[in-house]
Amino acid sequence: MDGATLGRWEQCALQPGGWDAAGLDRRACWSDIWTSRPLAPAADLDTASPHPDEGQVDLDVQRSFGHMHGTDERDRRRDQLRRAIRMTLRRYPALRYFQGFHDVVAHVLLTMCPDATDEAAWAPMQRVVDQVSLHFLRDCMTRDLMPAMGQLKIVRNILRAADAPYAYALENAFYPNHLIVALPWLLTLFTHEISAPAQALRVLDYVWCAGPASTLYLCAAFLLTQKERVAQVAAETRVAIEALDIAELHPVLASAPTEGAADDSALTRVLQDAAHLARTFPLRCPAVHAHLVLGDQSVLFTWDKQDTAPLSVLALPPTQLALDPLPTPRDEPSFAWRAAPTRGPRTRDILRHMVQAPRLRRLSVYPPVLLLSSLSLCLGGGALSVMLALFLAQPRS
């Protein structure tokens, strides 16, 4: 579909009341968004074998639709949910199921098939599920979660760009892991964390117009909403934020989507903050450098391309898709100074540092140092003067 229409729908999703206030038909818009993309070649369901992940699908489906009161209606919806997920997995066996995918599909099912007995609505609903899997959640449905870990790393980079002190404090608290609290948000597109269906649908309206990267910016925006609460918890326990126990920190951050989507006005603010972050810190900017974390075949970079072959991407080696997904010593900050006591350098440390062999070799490179050393001795200096000259010989970067 044309970018102008998609952009207009995105702007409507950011306004108070979202699509409902703008009078947009969600079923029709979702269908237009996802049917405009070419459908990847699928396996024949009549000859397709059961997918190896179907056992986990059954377990997750049994926990779905708990809010429904009628047993018959709940059982019918669970059967439909199981059928929809199985069909996608059997049609595209390269996809791997992850726990939480059923939450996304459940929202699609209830939206696209409001009447459980309407078989005519099934085909458009199934196509949305297929396309969401292949073009939006593909990074999370590969052979491992490394691309998803890469997305978490990009969330970290966005948070660093937006509020470096807060970001580094959270990193230190979670180190050596990612901000793992945001992983369920990425996997379920907030459909599990936001209990109010109307608010969860507003999030889907926005991210499906703005693209997969918008979910990352939304994660960062929700984390930023908890900054004052995190600081309050740290003050009450009389420790720095980075010294908070995960058992204290995790629940505060995990509640961000619930509190940030408590009502329409709160969710509107978070959505607009996420859109602002996306405009201010694009994926390829030096502060985020998402292209150094995930390869060009990630959904983050193929979203705007109509010629993407998702099945070919799923066949790629994980290292070609996830370039640098994990926290690494070369780009992680050192927080050792925070724990070190405040003291001046010891004399033995100074002497050991000054007489290192590389500094001795610089005597032949810096003749002025030799002159300075000689003059210091003539003027009554001693060995300390020579070592001082050696220390001054080190080039300054």
Side-chain angles (χ1 to χ4, degrees), residues 38-70:
L39 194 61
D44 185 356
L45 285 176
D46 294 333
T47 59
S49 302
H51 194 278
D53 294 336
E54 289 184 16
Q56 185 61 52
V57 173
D58 293 338
L59 295 175
D60 290 347
V61 166
Q62 285 304 116
R63 297 193 295 267
S64 302
F65 303 118
H67 63 282
M68 291 185 173
H69 301 295

Side-chain angles (χ1 to χ4, degrees), residues 221-275:
F222 273 118
L223 288 171
L224 287 168
T225 64
Q226 299 302 90
K227 181 179 178 179
E228 291 186 5
R229 281 201 60 201
V230 170
Q232 181 181 357
V233 172
E236 291 173 354
T237 54
R238 297 183 179 182
V239 297
I241 292 176
E242 55 267 26
L244 282 173
D245 190 275
I246 292 296
E248 299 171 312
L249 181 59
H250 192 281
V252 176
L253 296 176
S255 65
T258 303
E259 297 176 4
D263 54 52
D264 184 78
S265 59
L267 180 57
T268 297
R269 287 192 297 271
V270 176
L271 291 174
Q272 292 178 352
D273 288 345

Side-chain angles (χ1 to χ4, degrees), residues 51-226:
H51 194 278
D53 294 336
E54 289 184 16
Q56 185 61 52
V57 173
D58 293 338
L59 295 175
D60 290 347
V61 166
Q62 285 304 116
R63 297 193 295 267
S64 302
F65 303 118
H67 63 282
M68 291 185 173
H69 301 295
T71 303
D72 292 341
E73 175 71 8
R74 183 170 58 243
D75 290 345
R76 184 182 296 112
R77 286 301 192 180
R78 285 176 176 173
D79 288 341
Q80 290 179 334
L81 179 60
R82 185 181 296 107
R83 175 186 169 195
I85 297 175
R86 282 182 175 178
M87 286 182 68
T88 294
L89 294 179
R90 291 186 183 187
R91 284 161 59 87
Y92 304 102
L95 292 170
R96 301 306 301 264
Y97 175 81
F98 62 85
Q99 287 184 280
F101 180 63
H102 69 289
D103 289 308
V104 180
V105 179
H107 281 73
V108 174
L109 174 64
L110 295 178
T111 299
M112 301 296 293
C113 299
D115 183 355
T117 62
D118 185 4
E119 286 297 325
W122 182 268
M125 183 279 302
Q126 187 66 57
R127 177 151 184 168
V128 172
V129 175
D130 290 350
Q131 296 289 65
V132 168
S133 305
L134 294 170
H135 296 286
F136 203 99
L137 289 172
R138 187 179 65 239
D139 284 0
C140 303
M141 303 186 76
T142 56
R143 283 170 283 178
D144 55 40
L145 280 177
M146 285 300 102
M149 293 296 104
Q151 290 193 7
L152 276 182
K153 188 169 187 174
I154 296 170
V155 172
R156 179 207 70 177
N157 293 348
I158 296 169
L159 196 63
R160 281 184 180 182
D163 191 330
Y166 177 55
Y168 283 124
L170 294 185
E171 285 179 57
N172 191 30
F174 280 89
Y175 194 80
N177 297 311
H178 282 303
L179 302 178
I180 204 70
V181 66
L183 181 59
W185 308 348
L186 290 174
L187 294 177
T188 68
L189 306 181
F190 299 94
T191 55
H192 182 77
E193 286 71 24
I194 300 178
S195 56
Q199 307 296 62
L201 293 176
R202 273 201 69 187
V203 171
L204 293 180
D205 295 339
Y206 168 65
V207 300
W208 284 351
C209 288
S214 62
T215 312
L216 280 58
Y217 291 98
L218 195 53
C219 287
F222 273 118
L223 288 171
L224 287 168
T225 64
Q226 299 302 90

